Amino acid sequence: MSAESFTLAAAQAEPVYHDKEATLDKTCRWIKRAGDDGADLVVFPETYFPGYPYWRGSVSIPRWTDLMVDLQKNSLHVDDEAIDVLGDAINDANVHVVLGTNELSDRKGSDTLYNTLFYFDRSGKLIGRHRKLMPTHEERAIWGRGEPESLRTYESDIGQLGGLICYENHMTLSKAALTAKGEEIHAAVWPGFWEQHGHPGDKSRATDSTAVDSCDIYPAVREYAFETQSFVASCSAYMSDDIPEEFSEDELGFNVAAGGSMLVNPAGVVKAGPAVDEEVLLTAEFSRDERRATKAYFDAMGHYTRWDAVNLEVSDEQYEPVHTHTHDSMNGESGSRRTNGALSPAEIQTIADEHEVSIEAVESVVAAVQDQ
């Protein structure tokens, strides 16, 4: 049974840019802070660990390559010792955590990075991850595409948890998929908060909360909450005016890290935020009756649906480099497996006898199948 009331938190914390150990230490301190403030769930921003690549598109190819190598060295891996350190901090704080991170691939032979959400339960166990399905624009030169099977939700004592990364929160079918999987509490993470100057390709870092008039994040998280009747913890990245070591201001040309975190109830009412241009732990208390009241009027998984008119197919596929084919046949002479899909004369004779048809008929069917 899920708790009737709970506290959500957004950790709008500045990472120690490109510094794994220092960011790990700071993350543990903010987790403790969230626990001390009574949070049941704390969400960290998109690729908070160890910072969003604001240098994308602003550096030369040789410099880009050096920064990619540095980012690989400072990113998290599911078997990283840092996961155990985080787990201990989470267990001590007794809080669920959704952590935005650059993730180094755990596939043997791969050093690809992914834009990932790590989900930890109160005990500190890493219970799952979501990799961004489609990196946006120049991000495609930084991160690989996530597997469809990572589009899922996780059970907790405060409700079914799910999350999406940046513009995924605009993807209609992905939102519908999480809704269909029973999502009740949603983590929406972003690389900052911005003003749009006519379209998403022309944006600049927000300077204050008046940016809600043009920033797509503000209506997106409110609509996500209302259309899915979810509690939304929207956490956006923040970086101060200090230029990180070994970087120049010109290299961080896409720095939109103004914060902008918000906590929203299922009716789309903003209960805290947006917090702009500051480092802050945003918290708000919620009641499940807020969700019940909205669903009484508009239930996206009940009386306000028409699955006979519109429905959704969701893949649980995981990308794999090697596939085992199941249509191999037996070699009639040696009894060993063959991999070309052909039938031996002995097998053809067996099938013909079993179904009381001619050998020619079986050979004709086999030939037709192989031609396809």
Side-chain angles (χ1 to χ4, degrees):
M1 183 70 69
S2 299
E4 283 296 312
S5 63
F6 49 85
T7 298
L8 301 182
Q12 190 167 290
E14 181 176 14
V16 185
Y17 204 59
H18 272 239
D19 189 326
K20 178 178 182 176
E21 294 304 320
T23 299
L24 175 61
D25 180 68
K26 184 167 186 176
T27 307
C28 291
R29 286 187 276 114
W30 276 69
I31 289 170
K32 181 181 185 302
R33 180 177 171 184
D36 290 344
D37 283 4
D40 292 288
L41 167 71
V42 59
V43 179
F44 286 81
E46 176 179 2
T47 60
Y48 162 78
F49 209 106
Y52 182 92
Y54 297 108
W55 39 266
R56 66 174 180 83
S58 302
V59 296
S60 67
I61 295 299
R63 174 65 168 157
W64 177 92
T65 304
D66 290 341
L67 290 173
M68 279 294 293
V69 171
D70 192 51
L71 190 59
Q72 288 170 329
K73 292 178 178 179
N74 286 279
S75 296
L76 290 181
H77 185 283
V78 290
D79 295 324
D80 203 309
E81 290 182 3
I83 299 298
D84 295 329
V85 175
L86 288 167
D88 289 341
I90 292 167
N91 181 58
D92 291 342
N94 189 33
V95 59
H96 300 282
V97 172
V98 180
L99 177 68
T101 183
N102 290 278
E103 181 203 2
L104 188 62
S105 174
D106 55 335
R107 173 170 288 142
K108 291 181 179 180
S110 173
D111 281 324
T112 288
L113 291 175
Y114 294 95
N115 184 338
T116 301
L117 293 177
F118 279 168
Y119 292 84
F120 296 85
D121 65 16
R122 289 186 189 272
S123 73
K125 179 182 179 181
L126 179 61
I127 58 173
R129 65 186 171 192
H130 168 67
R131 289 172 169 175
K132 190 173 184 180
L133 297 177
M134 178 55 71
T136 306
H137 204 253
E138 291 172 336
E139 291 179 353
R140 295 172 197 172
I142 306 292
W143 299 304
R145 298 191 304 172
E147 294 92 341
E149 64 92 23
S150 77
L151 190 63
R152 54 175 300 190
T153 61
Y154 300 90
E155 188 175 350
S156 81
D157 57 5
I158 59 173
Q160 202 76 7
L161 306 179
L164 293 172
I165 300 167
C166 198
Y167 278 15
E168 287 187 318
N169 290 283
H170 292 301
M171 294 172 67
T172 303
L173 297 184
S174 295
K175 292 189 289 182
L178 291 184
T179 305
K181 291 174 180 288
E183 184 184 50
E184 297 172 300
I185 301 172
H186 179 73
V189 300
W190 312 82
F193 207 67
W194 47 78
E195 297 180 55
Q196 287 189 115
H197 308 289
H199 58 81
D202 186 6
K203 59 169 67 85
S204 59
R205 177 173 170 150
T207 56
D208 55 49
S209 60
T210 60
V212 298
D213 293 336
S214 65
C215 184
D216 54 282
I217 295 176
Y218 187 72
V221 296
R222 295 186 65 203
E223 176 60 19
Y224 193 106
F226 190 93
E227 69 178 295
T228 66
Q229 299 91 63
S230 297
F231 302 91
V232 176
S234 177
C235 193
S236 297
Y238 170 74
M239 290 182 67
S240 65
D241 293 332
D242 298 333
I243 305 301
E245 289 186 23
E246 302 182 13
F247 286 86
S248 68
E249 185 174 3
D250 291 342
E251 288 181 324
L252 303 180
F254 190 70
N255 186 353
V256 292
S261 299
M262 293 176 280
L263 302 172
V264 186
N265 85 352
V269 176
V270 179
K271 299 187 72 171
V276 177
D277 205 26
E278 62 176 327
E279 193 174 48
V280 62
L281 181 70
L282 207 63
T283 63
E285 186 173 353
F286 294 87
S287 165
R288 293 191 71 82
D289 278 352
E290 295 174 78
R291 187 168 194 258
R292 293 185 182 108
T294 306
K295 280 189 168 291
Y297 205 92
F298 174 74
D299 189 350
M301 283 299 292
H303 66 253
Y304 220 93
T305 55
R306 282 295 304 274
W307 294 310
D308 58 329
V310 180
N311 57 69
L312 180 68
E313 179 178 325
V314 182
S315 172
D316 59 359
E317 180 183 0
Q318 186 173 17
Y319 297 149
E320 296 293 348
V322 177
H323 298 270
T324 301
H325 297 281
T326 60
H327 60 269
D328 297 343
S329 61
M330 295 293 296
N331 182 301
E333 295 181 1
S334 66
S336 62
R337 299 297 285 181
R338 298 190 304 187
T339 58
N340 62 2
L343 293 177
S344 69
E347 288 176 305
I348 291 176
Q349 181 68 63
T350 298
I351 293 172
D353 292 343
E354 180 180 349
H355 296 280
E356 298 181 352
V357 297
S358 67
I359 290 175
E360 291 76 12
V362 177
E363 289 176 335
S364 176
V365 171
V366 170
V369 171
Q370 289 176 333
D371 287 343
Q372 292 179 358

